[in-house]
Amino acid sequence: MSSHKSKLRTVADVISRLYWSSDGFDVSTIMIGYDDRIHGPMEKALQDYKPIKVGGDIPEHRIWYIRQSIDSTVSSVDQALLWDRIGRIDRVFGSGHGPNMPISPETLDNVDKAIKNMVRLDLEKKERRERRENERAVKAKKRAAKVAALNYLATTSNHSNKTESCCTKRVLRYEWKSTPWYTYSSKTQQWIVGDKDSNDSIYFPATCRRRQDDELTVITWNVLFDLYDYELQDHEGRWSLIGTILERHDADVIALQEATPSFVSILLAQSWVKEDYACTASPLHTDTVTSSGNLLLWRRDVLVPMNAFVCVDSFRRCSIMASLELLDESPSSTPVFLVANVHLLANKGDSNQTSAGGSRAMARRRELAAVIGQLQRVEQDLVRNGRNTQPMIVGDFNTCDADDSIFGGTERDKVFADVFPILQPDDPGYTFDPTCNERAARTRSLTDSNGGPKRLDRIYLAKRDMCSKRTKNDTLSRPVTISMLGRDDARTETPPSDHFGLKATFQVARMNHSSGGRPTPCLWFPGIRNTWAANASATNDTLLALVLEGSDKIPDLSNKTSTLPIPHISLLHGFVELTCGGFYDFAIQGIRDAIDSAQVTCKDEWLLRFTESSLSVFEHRASATLIARPDIDHPTMKWMMQLYKALTNTFQQCHEQESRFEEGWCPHVSLETFGTSAAARAESSKQTEGGSWIQGEVSLPVYGVTMFERNSADGKFYAVASVPFKSGSPTNISNDLAEALLDDACLSLACHFKGRSSGILSEVQRVCQSVVGDAVRVEISVYGSCRMDASLPQFSDIDVVIELTANGGMTDSLSEDKTGTTFLGKVVNRIRSRYENAKCRVRTAAVAGGVTLPILTVKLWRSAPTVDLILCKKFSDGNPVDERSMVAMEGVDIFALLHEELRKAIPEKEVDICGIFAGALRIIKMWAFRRGVYGSSTGFLGGGAWAVLLAHTVIHGIEDSTLLLPVSSNKKLSRASCRLAEHFFKTCSRWALPLRFSLSSDESNVVQPSRPFSIVASSKAGDFGRSTTWPAAMAILAEIKRSASLLASAETISLSSQLTSAMQSLNLSSFLSMFQMVLSIKVNTPEDHSIDLVVADTKAWACRQLLHLTIELERVLGTSQIRPRPTPVRISKSSFVWLIGIHASDSPDLTDLVNTKQSTVQQDWMSRFPLGSASENLPTIELKSAYDMEEYLMILDIEIASF
């Protein structure tokens, strides 16, 4: 009988004891040794080990030993081992053979091998990391060289004359450009550029037939390049045969691929083409057929072209499309056919054997997405104009049925239907068949392809069943028949091409618009379908993310080593390829649809909740990242998963984020990257235990989704657009119903503004930091309306102070730059180098004490709000360097002072005075804008002045007990804000000019009795009313009294309805009806790109001229007889008219004043903008009656009923 074998405690028991015992084990120094199937003996830090049941990958039966690290206290491996499975030694519990038995030699050998393996693998990781870094550096150099070469080729001839601040325009991929079409003129005996408005004799010669039925016939055919085997292929003979076949089939639309200039010359010389067809090339103009050989023809007596476009990929012409309108007595009842002719890139050799085929498949998908995007863009324009459309894509797709995933989306979501299998389900439809086509067999031998027959040529028709409620019998076009050209003749003679052609016939339905039916789009329908987004391929060069707002309750969440160092949570990475400028709009449109379809329940804020347990470590193959995960399981965080699912449903090719985590998409903020997971976990413990991480929980607001694009020069991501969560923002707040704005005290508009601003301040800070380097710390401080949550779209901007704090001494360059203009100029250069369409200008503004501050105005992209930046230089102790810096910081302190004074007046915590004040300020600013009394640049009051006036009425209202504010809650906040706005109007209506206010007891700054307003927040601050003119002040008081009268007139009407009446927009028609005469200043900004003039500069110049002209008229007519209009009338993209209304019909003759002022204004214009001094660009001043001005604006198609 064998002796009893003592039981050894399990590895799980030992690990648990090591974690929870009080014997003094340091878990951070303990390693587990295990058997790896690939590398053999390996070790892992105990802190990094996870059991199988919680997601680990090492089963317990493969763990051989547990040991301590060898250091000064543990000098040998034998002493370090705590548990040995093979030797059955347990020095933790004393189980097995006990703690005093010698360690198994096999275990000691395994420890030695494991240590050597770990050292070897660490060296291999280091080598791989260095190799990847070198590869990235080489790729970055290649990218930079390629971009530099493309930019050099794309640079205009006058590039050498441009300054450093001008960046070269990058070459866009898949850019669609308008292209002419050509018809044959019997008069000139030449092919001429077509014009749909030209003489009918050109389009309808007597020999042409007229369309008698409702059928449309389409042919697509690859006619085979003549680039090889010229003698054997007999190109001229087979091209003549192709022409004969096409003439016999008499199609309405003919799409040809692989056409060459020689083929075009032969085809267009045939009489039937001259008489009946228009096309996208001519014998003398073959640019559109080079590269891909795409040619589009259509019958002139059946179809009328509305436009034509060619897709340019760098310098290569590829796909081509045309909008073709059916010639009909009632054209609006028939659809416009959007026909795209494509010849996608073919694989090299056998597509199933080479990796090159994969990249070429991606190239096909890119070009097809570009085609869909252009069809979608043209369709939207036509639908807006009340026209139905029928998109179709025809041509050589160079992909077989097995690769039908060229169209993105699920089967349910696919928009384009392949006509051939629908009509011929039992026919394989091989258009490239080497078994029966000699030319196809020859092509296969030349391309080293071993593939069999393939169906490469297709005709796709867009479906509309998802977007339309029409029945199947009410479709716009229905495929009737489809057949192949040349296949039947291939049995008896050699076909003229290596491809067989396709001919399809469609039945065209007429739409009855008299029944009230509206045009229905095929490719884009809000909330249902975005075909481009579903088909756009993903790339790691774009990123969609949530940008986090800063907070003093949470540590810095930025990762300096990341390609996107600002705090963010990635939603989609990679995101869609933005290969062309127009695709930005489609991407924004898709994001907007996803946000709307997510059905997020948040009303005002979208919060990211972080807790003490948010820190985690994400392990890579050769590194580890310390991350912070928001608590997505919390009820307030449900919106994030809803948003992510909506985005992945919209952008169906962008699912790489899910593949990076076993559990799918894992939202997180990357904090820092480490070489090993142990180092990352050590930093996590240090932050958690040291108290530098969150204590308790913190919620950070986010207001929108930001789209980033990688810069090819430095490889980092930069924001290119932001989409706000708030979708209810009106397109024109001037004409929107005031009742909807008052429902939440304009809070939704403020959130919409914040969403559009998402990521902008982080981008500005990054640019400034890159200018000064690491020796200076850059911080951004927001002041003004944005700081008080009172910024509104269309007329608010972001006021920012750039704080430059020296880490040691101030750098020489900043010390020498006394005014800061040199630094701001470098910022402008850096912004323009990264943002091609950014608008920047540097101006100076006079503030308190005669100090002038340079102000940089920046607009990073088209939909981005404007940012005004001023500079503040500070020593390492935080004190300003000079007087300008001190004044800049005082601007930030003013709005902190407002909140401080309000809290002093109302100390009760139950009353959210700051929230009520912000809501009332938004209402008053909106009222001032809609009533035409907002804007300091034109002599009225700006946001700062209205804020001080409102604070003054609150403080004095509390002191004299005329203002009572209720205990506020989320539901009552807007009501309390409306009540405060009512108090403001009633209080201000009792004022008389001149008015002088100061929130401080020291009123030494309240001077200038000649001014109508003197509005000062503190003794250190400037006067917010310094630029107000007397006519503008009179208009402000008149509007305040009007509103107070409306608020007091009907006591039975609700306060909201009364404020709605008070906020009624003063549109252009109402403004003109108030006056007998109108004086106008018209300014034209030259649209010539060679003249470097910015519209913002000319508008700012015009505002100054309006101020001067107002003062001149005030001296002649008096303050009560005139009123300037702060908002200009937009005549065109770059032409604006400013108006000054004149009451007196018997006013003095102003002809001399107008003539003198016009001469002065034009001289000032020529000195300010010498490049725009042509006579047609000079500003003009005119005096007209209000009736004549209204007639003049109506002639220009200006909607005078609008704002």
Side-chain angles (χ1 to χ4, degrees):
M1 184 175 177
S2 60
S3 60
H4 178 69
K5 192 174 183 179
S6 59
K7 184 176 181 181
L8 179 69
R9 297 294 288 261
T10 64
V11 66
D13 292 340
V14 174
I15 290 175
S16 178
R17 180 66 176 268
L18 292 173
Y19 270 111
W20 302 108
S21 73
S22 58
D23 295 341
F25 291 108
D26 185 0
V27 180
S28 63
T29 64
I30 296 178
M31 309 290 290
I32 62 170
Y34 64 97
D35 177 28
D36 186 85
R37 294 180 182 273
I38 298 175
H39 300 291
M42 294 279 289
E43 288 187 343
K44 192 181 188 75
L46 180 59
Q47 287 184 323
D48 296 337
Y49 169 74
K50 290 182 181 179
I52 292 291
K53 61 182 178 181
V54 294
D57 56 358
I58 303 176
E60 291 183 7
H61 69 270
R62 301 189 71 86
I63 298 178
W64 285 343
Y65 61 84
I66 299 176
R67 71 174 180 88
Q68 292 178 296
S69 298
I70 300 174
D71 53 21
S72 59
T73 58
V74 182
S75 58
S76 66
V77 175
D78 192 306
Q79 294 179 4
L81 280 162
L82 300 176
W83 183 83
D84 174 13
R85 179 190 293 275
I86 298 175
R88 303 183 61 76
I89 306 300
D90 180 2
R91 295 174 177 173
V92 177
F93 288 100
S95 63
H97 293 324
N100 299 321
M101 295 296 291
I103 300 297
S104 167
E106 184 178 351
T107 299
L108 294 175
D109 184 56
N110 286 334
V111 173
D112 182 62
K113 290 180 179 178
I115 293 175
K116 291 180 179 178
N117 279 339
M118 297 302 294
V119 172
R120 175 179 58 82
L121 291 175
D122 285 341
L123 290 175
E124 290 178 358
K125 285 182 180 180
K126 183 179 179 181
E127 291 176 358
R128 284 197 301 269
R129 188 160 53 244
E130 292 176 351
R131 186 167 58 250
R132 281 197 299 269
E133 290 175 355
N134 292 334
E135 290 174 355
R136 291 192 190 104
V138 171
K139 289 181 180 179
K141 289 182 179 179
K142 289 182 178 180
R143 281 198 307 265
K146 182 178 179 180
V147 171
L150 291 175
N151 284 342
Y152 174 77
L153 292 174
T155 305
T156 56
S157 59
N158 63 343
H159 170 68
S160 58
N161 297 327
K162 294 187 178 181
T163 61
E164 180 190 358
S165 62
C166 297
C167 66
T168 56
K169 185 176 181 180
R170 65 180 179 135
V171 177
L172 295 175
R173 298 201 62 188
Y174 302 109
E175 183 179 13
W176 287 89
K177 296 183 178 181
S178 179
T179 185
W181 62 87
Y182 301 90
T183 59
Y184 186 79
S185 172
S186 57
K187 295 180 180 179
T188 62
Q189 299 294 310
Q190 290 181 342
W191 286 87
I192 62 174
V193 176
D195 182 1
K196 68 176 182 177
D197 297 324
S198 62
N199 193 325
D200 286 349
S201 62
I202 296 178
Y203 278 86
F204 311 119
T207 56
C208 284
R209 67 170 174 84
R210 297 282 179 160
R211 179 172 173 269
Q212 300 294 335
D213 50 30
D214 289 330
E215 288 188 349
L216 188 79
T217 306
V218 179
I219 284 180
T220 177
W221 201 351
N222 184 319
V223 297
L224 183 59
F225 278 135
D226 59 352
L227 304 180
Y228 56 89
D229 270 1
Y230 194 87
E231 295 180 358
L232 295 177
Q233 295 286 2
D234 183 22
H235 293 296
E236 293 185 3
R238 67 182 184 85
W239 286 343
S240 298
L241 180 58
I242 289 174
T244 302
I245 296 174
L246 292 176
E247 180 184 11
R248 183 171 69 245
H249 285 277
D250 191 27
D252 298 316
V253 178
I254 301 174
L256 304 177
Q257 303 86 42
E258 296 196 13
T260 60
S262 301
F263 172 82
V264 171
S265 299
I266 292 176
L267 181 66
L268 300 190
Q270 300 189 25
S271 59
W272 63 274
V273 179
K274 293 180 180 179
E275 293 175 356
D276 296 348
Y277 285 86
C279 60
T280 55
S282 75
L284 299 178
H285 303 87
T286 57
D287 292 344
T288 56
V289 298
T290 55
S291 302
S292 298
N294 289 325
L295 179 65
L296 203 60
L297 302 93
W298 57 88
R299 288 193 66 97
R300 293 186 291 169
D301 59 341
V302 176
L303 296 160
V304 178
M306 303 179 74
N307 47 51
F309 302 92
V310 62
C311 184
V312 180
D313 180 15
S314 296
F315 302 103
R316 181 179 71 92
R317 269 80 173 172
C318 40
S319 301
I320 194 167
M321 73 147 295
S323 305
L324 304 175
E325 181 181 19
L326 286 170
L327 190 64
D328 196 90
E329 294 178 356
S330 177
S332 61
S333 65
T334 56
V336 177
F337 282 84
L338 310 181
V339 183
N341 182 15
V342 303
H343 184 204
L344 303 183
L345 197 64
N347 289 335
K348 286 185 177 180
D350 193 339
S351 62
N352 296 323
Q353 294 181 0
T354 62
S355 59
S359 62
R360 287 174 173 255
M362 183 61 68
R364 289 193 291 270
R365 181 170 291 176
R366 285 194 190 101
E367 184 172 343
L368 191 59
V371 171
I372 293 173
Q374 179 65 10
L375 290 173
Q376 187 167 315
R377 180 187 297 112
V378 175
E379 181 190 61
Q380 288 183 11
D381 293 338
L382 290 170
V383 169
R384 291 191 193 101
N385 293 324
R387 297 302 305 271
N388 278 296
T389 63
Q390 181 57 73
M392 64 172 60
I393 305 177
V394 303
D396 181 2
F397 288 78
N398 271 313
T399 179
C400 59
D401 289 333
D403 192 23
D404 198 32
S405 60
I406 189 169
F407 283 101
T410 62
E411 289 298 324
R412 183 184 65 84
D413 297 330
K414 285 184 178 178
V415 176
F416 287 94
D418 192 349
V419 174
F420 194 92
I422 293 176
L423 299 178
Q424 303 285 350
D426 299 326
D427 190 339
Y430 298 136
T431 58
F432 183 86
D433 192 352
T435 62
C436 64
N437 188 328
E438 295 180 12
R439 297 190 193 275
R442 178 63 179 167
T443 300
R444 185 181 63 177
S445 66
L446 291 172
T447 57
D448 297 326
S449 174
N450 297 321
K454 299 176 182 179
R455 192 168 70 88
L456 303 180
D457 303 85
R458 318 274 181 93
I459 296 178
Y460 283 100
L461 188 71
K463 302 179 293 183
R464 61 180 61 244
D465 54 326
M466 290 176 59
C467 301
S468 175
K469 296 182 180 179
R470 298 189 180 97
T471 63
K472 293 183 178 180
N473 297 327
D474 196 21
T475 55
L476 295 185
S477 56
R478 179 174 60 88
V480 179
T481 62
I482 191 168
S483 59
M484 300 182 68
L485 304 182
R487 185 173 63 173
D488 295 336
D489 299 334
R491 299 183 180 91
T492 58
E493 58 184 11
T494 302
S497 174
D498 59 345
H499 286 241
F500 297 130
L502 291 177
K503 177 186 177 182
T505 303
F506 300 92
Q507 185 75 33
V508 181
R510 295 179 180 273
M511 305 305 299
N512 184 11
H513 286 284
S514 61
S515 61
R518 288 166 44 180
T520 305
C522 291
L523 306 180
W524 177 74
F525 203 81
I528 298 178
R529 173 186 289 175
N530 188 324
T531 309
W532 175 85
N535 285 273
S537 55
T539 174
N540 287 329
D541 290 332
T542 54
L543 167 68
L544 199 65
L546 301 172
V547 177
L548 277 62
E549 300 287 331
S551 173
D552 55 359
K553 298 179 182 179
I554 196 168
D556 184 15
L557 298 179
S558 58
N559 185 357
K560 306 301 182 184
T561 61
S562 171
T563 53
L564 180 57
I566 64 177
H568 70 281
I569 292 180
S570 297
L571 293 171
L572 298 179
H573 182 215
F575 190 47
V576 292
E577 285 189 300
L578 303 173
T579 53
C580 178
F583 292 168
Y584 289 85
D585 295 333
F586 284 138
I588 293 172
Q589 197 175 66
I591 298 169
R592 176 77 271 154
D593 291 344
I595 291 174
D596 292 341
S597 63
Q599 298 178 354
V600 179
T601 57
C602 303
K603 289 186 177 181
D604 304 323
E605 286 187 313
W606 290 260
L607 300 175
L608 294 174
R609 185 175 181 268
F610 293 91
T611 64
E612 296 179 6
S613 59
S614 292
L615 282 183
S616 180
V617 174
F618 178 67
E619 298 182 13
H620 309 278
R621 289 184 179 180
S623 60
T625 303
L626 181 63
I627 63 176
R629 297 188 178 188
D631 185 10
I632 60 175
D633 296 328
H634 195 269
T636 60
M637 290 284 294
K638 290 182 179 179
W639 64 269
M640 179 175 281
M641 292 305 299
Q642 294 173 359
L643 176 62
Y644 175 74
K645 291 178 181 178
L647 287 169
T648 52
N649 288 335
T650 302
F651 301 96
Q652 298 177 13
Q653 310 298 319
C654 305
H655 44 68
E656 185 180 347
Q657 282 284 103
E658 291 188 358
S659 63
R660 299 187 180 187
F661 300 91
E662 295 180 358
E663 63 272 24
W665 178 62
C666 178
H668 66 275
V669 182
S670 297
L671 302 180
E672 190 174 356
T673 303
F674 298 87
T676 63
S677 58
R681 294 189 185 281
E683 178 63 22
S684 174
S685 301
K686 177 181 177 182
Q687 290 195 23
T688 305
E689 297 171 2
S692 59
W693 182 243
I694 299 170
Q695 305 299 315
E697 64 179 55
V698 172
S699 294
L700 298 181
V702 288
Y703 297 96
V705 177
T706 306
M707 189 164 57
F708 295 87
E709 190 172 15
R710 192 190 302 273
N711 184 283
S712 58
D714 61 7
K716 295 185 179 296
F717 286 97
Y718 296 94
V720 292
S722 293
V723 183
F725 285 144
K726 274 294 183 182
S727 60
S729 177
T731 56
N732 190 338
I733 60 177
S734 311
N735 300 322
D736 202 66
L737 293 177
E739 188 172 359
L741 304 176
L742 291 172
D743 185 50
D744 62 350
C746 302
L747 181 59
S748 59
L749 290 178
C751 291
H752 180 86
F753 182 87
K754 285 187 175 181
R756 287 178 55 193
S757 309
S758 179
I760 290 180
L761 296 183
S762 298
E763 291 299 298
V764 172
Q765 183 175 2
R766 287 175 66 189
V767 170
C768 295
Q769 188 70 67
S770 66
V771 170
V772 297
D774 297 333
V776 178
R777 186 175 72 255
V778 178
E779 294 178 341
I780 295 289
S781 295
V782 179
Y783 67 100
S785 299
C786 205
R787 180 161 180 170
M788 294 185 292
D789 291 330
S791 295
L792 299 170
Q794 294 192 20
F795 64 93
S796 289
D797 53 18
I798 307 175
D799 297 315
V800 169
V801 172
I802 310 171
E803 299 180 20
L804 305 182
T805 305
N807 293 330
M810 186 63 65
T811 60
D812 294 338
S813 59
L814 287 177
S815 300
E816 296 172 359
D817 184 16
K818 300 297 183 182
T819 61
T821 53
T822 303
F823 168 79
L824 294 180
K826 291 180 180 179
V827 172
V828 170
N829 292 341
R830 196 63 58 93
I831 288 175
R832 287 179 174 171
S833 68
R834 293 176 179 173
Y835 293 91
E836 177 181 316
N837 299 316
K839 297 179 180 179
C840 308
R841 68 186 184 100
V842 179
R843 55 190 173 90
T844 57
V847 293
V851 178
T852 58
L853 290 179
I855 300 177
L856 171 60
T857 301
V858 176
K859 192 177 183 70
L860 292 183
W861 55 82
R862 186 182 62 185
S863 61
T866 302
V867 183
D868 285 338
L869 302 99
I870 58 177
L871 180 62
C872 173
K873 295 182 289 185
K874 301 165 71 174
F875 293 112
S876 56
D877 58 2
N879 293 320
V881 170
D882 51 26
E883 189 177 3
R884 288 187 177 87
S885 301
M886 187 179 299
V887 172
M889 287 308 302
E890 287 172 355
V892 177
D893 296 337
I894 289 173
F895 296 93
L897 173 65
L898 282 178
H899 282 177
E900 182 181 346
E901 293 294 330
L902 291 172
R903 290 191 182 96
K904 286 181 181 178
I906 306 177
E908 293 85 357
K909 295 182 179 180
E910 295 81 4
V911 179
D912 183 9
I913 181 57
C914 294
I916 296 173
F917 178 83
L921 182 57
R922 291 193 295 267
I923 293 173
I924 293 169
K925 288 179 61 177
M926 182 64 67
W927 163 86
F929 178 73
R930 290 167 66 97
R931 295 304 301 173
V933 290
Y934 185 90
S936 58
S937 62
T938 52
F940 292 91
L941 295 179
W946 291 111
V948 175
L949 289 179
L950 178 61
H952 182 273
T953 59
V954 170
I955 294 171
H956 287 272
I958 296 297
E959 290 176 354
D960 57 20
S961 301
T962 58
L963 175 63
L964 296 176
L965 294 176
V967 175
S968 57
S969 63
N970 289 334
K971 294 183 178 179
K972 296 181 180 180
L973 190 64
S974 60
R975 192 183 308 167
S977 298
C978 291
R979 186 65 63 187
L980 179 54
E982 177 193 26
H983 172 79
F984 171 81
F985 288 123
K986 291 182 177 180
T987 301
C988 296
S989 65
R990 297 190 292 268
W991 293 345
L993 297 177
L995 293 170
R996 293 184 288 277
F997 301 104
S998 176
L999 293 182
S1000 65
S1001 56
D1002 180 13
E1003 298 192 1
S1004 58
N1005 245 6
V1006 183
V1007 292
Q1008 299 290 344
S1010 61
R1011 293 178 183 170
F1013 285 115
S1014 187
I1015 304 171
V1016 177
S1018 69
S1019 59
K1020 299 179 181 179
D1023 186 354
F1024 285 106
R1026 61 182 176 275
S1027 61
T1028 310
T1029 62
W1030 279 92
M1034 297 287 288
I1036 291 172
L1037 276 190
E1039 290 295 338
I1040 289 176
K1041 291 179 180 180
R1042 168 192 170 274
S1043 299
S1045 170
L1046 291 172
L1047 290 170
S1049 59
E1051 306 233 346
T1052 58
I1053 302 177
S1054 66
L1055 175 60
S1056 178
S1057 299
Q1058 293 174 347
L1059 282 174
T1060 299
S1061 300
M1063 292 179 66
Q1064 181 181 0
S1065 179
L1066 181 66
N1067 56 34
L1068 186 56
S1069 178
S1070 300
F1071 178 83
L1072 293 175
S1073 66
M1074 297 167 57
F1075 307 100
Q1076 285 77 37
M1077 303 293 292
V1078 175
L1079 194 66
S1080 65
I1081 305 176
K1082 184 178 180 182
V1083 175
N1084 299 311
T1085 304
E1087 297 186 10
D1088 186 356
H1089 296 292
S1090 62
I1091 301 176
D1092 190 16
L1093 280 186
V1094 182
V1095 174
D1097 289 337
T1098 57
K1099 290 176 71 174
W1101 175 89
C1103 288
R1104 289 195 298 272
Q1105 302 304 321
L1106 181 71
L1107 274 174
H1108 297 158
L1109 188 55
T1110 301
I1111 295 172
E1112 291 285 341
L1113 290 175
E1114 176 191 344
R1115 293 171 182 169
V1116 176
L1117 302 177
T1119 58
S1120 61
Q1121 299 300 310
I1122 60 175
R1123 174 172 173 173
R1125 188 174 188 270
T1127 306
V1129 180
R1130 186 168 189 164
I1131 303 298
S1132 65
K1133 183 179 179 180
S1134 56
S1135 298
F1136 300 86
V1137 173
W1138 279 261
L1139 304 177
I1140 301 177
I1142 301 174
H1143 282 292
S1145 58
D1146 56 347
S1147 61
D1149 187 7
L1150 300 176
T1151 305
D1152 293 340
L1153 175 64
V1154 171
N1155 293 336
T1156 303
K1157 195 62 182 176
Q1158 174 159 299
S1159 176
T1160 304
V1161 165
Q1162 290 180 350
Q1163 289 177 5
D1164 188 78
W1165 171 275
M1166 289 186 288
S1167 63
R1168 177 66 179 83
F1169 308 111
L1171 294 177
S1173 299
S1175 58
E1176 64 271 14
N1177 297 328
L1178 294 177
T1180 57
I1181 299 177
E1182 293 182 317
L1183 180 65
K1184 294 183 179 181
S1185 68
Y1187 177 81
D1188 290 341
M1189 179 59 68
E1190 186 171 338
E1191 290 290 323
Y1192 167 73
L1193 295 176
M1194 292 177 66
I1195 291 173
L1196 296 175
D1197 279 339
I1198 304 299
E1199 182 58 53
I1200 62 173
S1202 66
F1203 188 75

